[in-house]
Amino acid sequence: MTNPASIADTDHNALADLLMNSGLDNSSDDIDDLTSDNSNYATLTDALEQTVFESFDDGLYIGMMSGTSLDGMDAVLCQFNPEMSTEDSTQPPMRLLATYSQDFPPRLREVLLALCQPNGVNQLVPETDEPNSELDWFGWASRAYAEFASEVVNTLLQQSNTDPESVLAIGCHGQTVRHRPQMGFTLQLVDANIIAERTGISVVSDFRRRDMAVGGQGAPLVPAFHQALFANPDSTRVLLNLGGIANITVLPASEEIQVVGYDTGPANLLLDAWTSLHTDNSYDASGAWAQSGTLIEPLLQQLLAHPFFAQSHPKSTGREDFNLTWLQDELQAFEQANANISYSAADVQATLTELTAISSSMQINTFISHSKNSSVYVCGGGALNDYLMTRLQAHLPHCTVKTTEHLGLAPTWVEAVAFAWLARQTLMGETGNLPAVTGANKGVVLGQVCFA
């Protein structure tokens, strides 16, 4: 077991504090016994390995996720098999014990969407006692998000009849409101202190910035979890996550080949935004509206000219690059250049669906071969879009496109489980990033811990 390097340098007093916070015997004599020349432990790290981290292996964890599409908050209660990384384990690598999902309160969702756009809060009309500046809105939303997350956790615990004291940690990603890897920063909005206080459970958050500190993009982080749970020595598996943004994880059959993962472009972010703008629905159920439209081929080619698609990996993106304003600007430019082409809103939805299908499948096809055993498994909300799944299969003729349900985990819960796993990695002092995926110069322990 690998522990954080900083722990090896912990002085006598800091160790006492750490043991006290962990609920262990922290008397001075006991600490001296652990670190004395007469003990069985060669180093302080060895001593900690046998005390602080030992019980974090197979306990209960909660994972939480609210993605780029902002369609709601997902929470899962799960337990991991301590031997999940060994080939001879006969136990399932993970048990999903309970799940719960809840839509965002309308005002919180409105504010979060505004914060995702530079100066977007300028369009908000403050109500009584509400902020009137971007920084104040950020503080307001951080607290409101945490209060809402706490309600979701407590409901999950109540519905599953789970004692909070039996849960080792909550992995809460927070809400990304700005992701600027080219500038070396990413910003996830959440006040973990509030969640810890309201639930009585320690919270691990702020996962991405440590990866950025060692030269990474801070995204995607889920591929490390995909590797731990889904890798198969007999076949190449590609995991395609269709959330607000689409991203892939390539899990080679050979352990000698590195795992690859990166964002491929927009997914539900644009599909949901266009649907909400032109219908009474917040999303295109099963892709029925898109299927009623006709592909606008020249528009598709124009959208594919976005520079992100031509970038080499590792790469990541978000609302900063793909959003409703960007789409409306592209449509305006398209109409000016193609005055003879008429189209409907449904035609645009069909074209956006094809944009997601072709941009992701083009990347997947570079890693799979019809002559080898390979498969594609889809997770995220887009896995429920039947028309999008059909279009993906059309562009991936050499393999069968399925959802992660076939791997034992429903597609809607994969990311939430991933952040439960990442919280476990953090508490155990294990790395949570894959440098080959994020571009970091080394593997690091991710996240900040707010103890309950």
Side-chain angles (χ1 to χ4, degrees):
M1 185 182 297
T2 304
N3 293 310
S6 60
I7 291 179
D9 300 324
T10 306
D11 61 25
H12 186 282
N13 292 333
L15 175 59
D17 291 341
L18 182 57
L19 294 178
M20 179 183 295
N21 289 336
S22 300
L24 302 174
D25 188 354
N26 66 315
S27 68
S28 179
D29 291 341
D30 289 338
I31 296 169
D32 290 337
D33 288 342
L34 284 173
T35 58
S36 69
D37 292 338
N38 296 327
S39 74
N40 295 323
Y41 305 116
T43 66
L44 181 57
T45 299
D46 291 337
L48 287 170
E49 190 171 79
Q50 299 302 318
T51 55
V52 176
F53 296 122
E54 185 177 34
S55 64
F56 291 165
D57 217 7
D58 60 350
L60 302 183
Y61 288 87
I62 289 176
M64 307 191 73
M65 187 62 185
S66 59
T68 312
S69 58
L70 274 166
D71 53 357
M73 186 176 294
D74 298 330
V76 297
L77 176 69
C78 49
Q79 184 173 29
F80 298 96
N81 175 11
E83 307 301 326
M84 68 185 294
S85 60
T86 63
E87 294 182 4
D88 58 352
S89 174
T90 59
Q91 299 297 318
M94 184 275 301
R95 289 194 303 149
L96 186 59
L97 304 176
T99 63
Y100 180 68
S101 183
Q102 186 170 328
D103 293 342
F104 277 104
R107 184 57 167 173
L108 176 57
R109 184 176 190 273
E110 181 183 13
V111 173
L112 290 174
L113 286 170
L115 286 167
C116 287
Q117 301 299 322
N119 304 312
V121 297
N122 293 340
Q123 306 303 315
L124 293 174
V125 179
E127 299 175 1
T128 304
D129 297 328
E130 284 190 336
N132 55 16
S133 72
E134 187 166 54
L135 192 57
D136 289 341
W137 274 118
F138 182 90
W140 179 95
S142 295
R143 184 177 184 87
Y145 182 99
E147 296 284 6
F148 175 60
S150 301
E151 293 176 9
V152 170
V153 168
N154 287 328
T155 301
L156 176 70
L157 294 172
Q158 182 180 15
Q159 290 186 354
S160 61
N161 195 28
T162 302
D163 187 340
E165 293 184 358
S166 67
V167 181
L168 293 175
I170 298 168
C172 184
H173 173 266
Q175 185 63 47
T176 299
V177 292
R178 200 76 83 246
H179 184 66
R180 301 288 195 193
Q182 69 277 16
M183 299 175 65
F185 82 89
T186 186
L187 195 57
Q188 281 71 50
L189 178 153
V190 63
D191 188 341
N193 301 277
I194 290 176
I195 302 176
E197 188 64 30
R198 302 291 186 266
T199 64
I201 303 172
S202 297
V203 180
V204 186
S205 61
D206 194 14
F207 291 94
R208 299 189 186 276
R209 291 194 295 177
R210 183 63 190 276
D211 180 80
M212 281 193 162
V214 291
Q217 294 254 329
L221 297 181
V222 176
F225 166 71
H226 288 162
Q227 181 185 38
L229 198 71
F230 299 130
N232 186 297
D234 299 323
S235 66
T236 295
R237 289 176 170 178
V238 179
L239 275 293
L240 170 61
N241 177 53
L242 294 175
I245 296 294
N247 52 71
I248 61 170
T249 302
V250 183
L251 302 172
S254 172
E255 293 183 358
E256 298 178 359
I257 303 176
Q258 289 183 320
V259 173
V260 176
Y262 54 93
D263 291 349
T264 62
N268 297 331
L269 189 159
L270 292 180
L271 295 175
D272 292 352
W274 189 252
T275 299
S276 296
L277 185 65
H278 290 278
T279 74
D280 294 330
N281 303 312
S282 58
Y283 65 97
D284 184 9
S286 299
W289 188 43
Q291 191 169 9
S292 73
T294 301
L295 173 66
I296 311 169
E297 183 64 35
L299 176 61
L300 174 63
Q301 296 306 315
Q302 178 183 318
L303 299 179
L304 285 170
H306 190 291
F308 175 80
F309 296 115
Q311 291 177 20
S312 58
H313 62 84
K315 61 179 181 177
S316 56
T317 188
R319 285 186 180 275
E320 298 79 11
D321 293 322
F322 298 102
N323 52 65
L324 185 58
T325 300
W326 168 78
L327 175 60
Q328 290 172 326
D329 289 344
E330 289 292 320
L331 287 173
Q332 184 177 8
F334 177 76
E335 291 171 359
Q336 292 175 349
N338 301 274
N340 60 320
I341 298 179
S342 60
Y343 61 87
S344 68
D347 296 339
V348 174
Q349 187 74 357
T351 304
L352 293 176
T353 303
E354 192 72 5
L355 175 66
T356 296
I358 198 169
S359 59
S360 55
S361 61
M362 284 173 57
Q363 298 300 313
I364 294 172
N365 275 319
T366 64
F367 296 103
I368 62 175
S369 169
H370 66 279
S371 62
K372 296 181 180 180
N373 186 15
S374 58
S375 50
V376 175
Y377 296 93
V378 184
C379 58
L384 307 180
N385 186 322
D386 295 336
Y387 180 60
L388 177 54
M389 293 288 285
T390 299
R391 296 309 303 151
L392 283 167
Q393 184 66 80
H395 292 296
L396 296 166
H398 301 309
C399 61
T400 301
V401 178
K402 304 177 181 179
T403 75
T404 54
E405 191 79 56
H406 290 80
L407 298 178
L409 183 55
T412 49
W413 304 116
V414 172
E415 283 204 298
V417 174
F419 280 93
W421 180 84
L422 284 167
R424 174 178 178 266
Q425 291 293 101
T426 300
L427 291 192
M428 292 176 61
E430 299 281 1
T431 59
N433 64 333
L434 289 177
V437 169
T438 66
N441 56 47
K442 63 178 180 179
V444 288
V445 180
L446 305 176
Q448 304 292 324
V449 184
C450 182
F451 291 101

